[in-house]
Amino acid sequence: MSEIVASANFQDKVLDAKGPVLVDFFATWCGPCKMLAPTIDALTTELAGKVAVYKVDIDESPDLAARYNVSGVPTLMLFENGAVKNHMVGAQPKQNILAMIGA
Amino acid sequence: MIDVAIIGAGPAGLAAALYATRAGLEATLFERISFGGQLAQTEHLENYPGYVLSTSGFDLALAMHEQATSFGAQTVAEEVTSVDLAADPKKLVTPFGEYEARSVIVATGARPTHLGLEGEEELAGRGVSYCATCDGNFFRGRDVVVVGGGNTAAADAIYLSRICRKVYLVHRRDTLRATAIYHDRLRGLENIEFCWSSKVVKLLQSDGALSGVTIRDRLTDGLRDLDASAIFIAVGTTPNSEFLNGALETNQAGYIIADESGITSIPGVFAAGDVRTKALRQVVTAVADGAVCAEEAAAYLAS
């Protein structure tokens, strides 16, 4: 399972992270988000040590959703050195996510 | 060896898996993302018999998946990207492996059709959406556009009218194709403006987000700009049959040619649900297809 991060630990876990970080902005009421969840969980394990994977619940952390202009869920964002390197919107198959993060 | 490879785990695929496993066959579901398909994106389902109170599409899909799994259906969370259906056994290729199966049920469904306008792909998640219940909340109190005239467009407009300030419903005809029950509900809503006989011809943007659309009146050819923070596109569906690369006969729109038996142009290959040629694409017809295809596959394997 990937860990849910919020405003309080976003800086530490995502922006100040040493390597690339994949963040899944999701909502508990969104069907495609629920469909994507098993893939995100699998990637958390498969990419351990290479890419950190976290989730942001946009209802719990509306400030983060606003800061990164998230206006569709699920939105996946790849962060590196505190900046957004890439993003994709909507539930996607695993190979597309791997391609986005260059893994 | 897999007896029945079922490509797609929406309602058709899940029902096929249920019937195939109960028939004593080894059934494996291949799913590109996760079970549920379009059903999982349906917020409220009011027309699935037996569910008197409206039920969530995701919850129904979850129950279908658990039911199929309880009888032994396996799931491979990989997207089938190419096939060799003429081979014996039949071959399925995913980005992560190759699989062989004695029979195949194609239940890959359909996806929302895009308008094909400039900027549509880049603005996805920035005001362009194909899922009102997913993204509507981001536009609370704002003005939005719904384009389309079928049940999805009607349901989207009703849903959005509750959370948005104003909803423009743009439809290319002068009357909705949607089922009668939606017409009465729509008429009772004051913040919906109907833009009949109109077509969205341009997506307007500012600062990388949608800021409005231009519509053309098909009768007068007049152009009009609508200020809107989002456009919800519900102009029908496109079958997910490209991965077959012509292996099965399809019609011009890409739907696999098959009648209610699900039998396709290749023996041992069946088509169930929205991906096949049929008159009514609903959950209730998809699950019926799945059951029939599983029986046909069992008969094929026994012959």
Side-chain angles (χ1 to χ4, degrees), chain B residues 22-188:
Chain B
R22 286 172 59 87
L25 302 175
E26 192 180 311
T28 300
L29 286 155
F30 289 83
E31 175 52 51
R32 64 193 290 267
I33 301 172
S34 167
F35 62 85
Q38 294 181 94
L39 171 62
Q41 301 194 23
T42 307
E43 195 196 24
H44 294 297
L45 197 68
E46 295 180 343
N47 58 1
Y48 193 72
Y51 287 75
V52 180
L53 298 171
S54 78
T55 188
S56 119
F58 185 85
D59 289 346
L60 182 58
L62 179 66
M64 286 183 185
H65 185 251
E66 285 178 350
Q67 189 178 12
T69 304
S70 75
F71 288 101
Q74 303 292 309
T75 302
V76 174
E78 298 175 15
E79 178 174 19
V80 175
T81 48
S82 68
V83 288
D84 185 352
L85 300 177
D88 184 25
K90 302 173 192 315
K91 287 189 181 59
L92 310 183
V93 180
T94 80
F96 307 99
E98 284 189 29
Y99 301 84
E100 293 186 335
R102 297 168 65 206
S103 68
V104 172
I105 296 174
V106 180
T108 43
R111 61 181 184 277
T113 301
H114 291 198
L115 291 175
L117 293 174
E118 198 184 326
E120 187 173 351
E121 310 301 324
E122 301 89 89
L123 289 168
R126 296 277 189 271
V128 169
S129 174
Y130 305 89
C131 179
T133 55
C134 302
D135 304 335
N137 260 305
F138 292 104
F139 306 99
R140 190 168 281 276
R142 318 268 279 278
D143 295 351
V144 300
V145 173
V146 172
V147 52
N151 286 342
T152 303
D156 285 356
I158 293 165
Y159 171 80
L160 292 166
S161 76
R162 289 189 223 119
I163 54 181
C164 298
R165 188 172 66 174
K166 179 165 188 174
V167 178
Y168 296 98
L169 182 52
V170 178
H171 183 41
R172 63 197 162 108
R173 300 180 198 279
D174 59 4
T175 177
L176 295 178
R177 215 171 51 241
T179 309
I181 191 164
Y182 289 113
H183 296 226
D184 296 338
R185 291 186 191 174
L186 278 167
R187 265 194 290 271

Side-chain angles (χ1 to χ4, degrees), chain B residues 123 202-206 209-214 225-228:
Chain B
L123 289 168
K202 195 173 181 199
L203 302 174
L204 309 172
Q205 53 178 305
S206 72
L210 188 90
S211 59
V213 303
T214 303
D225 286 351
L226 306 175
D227 288 334

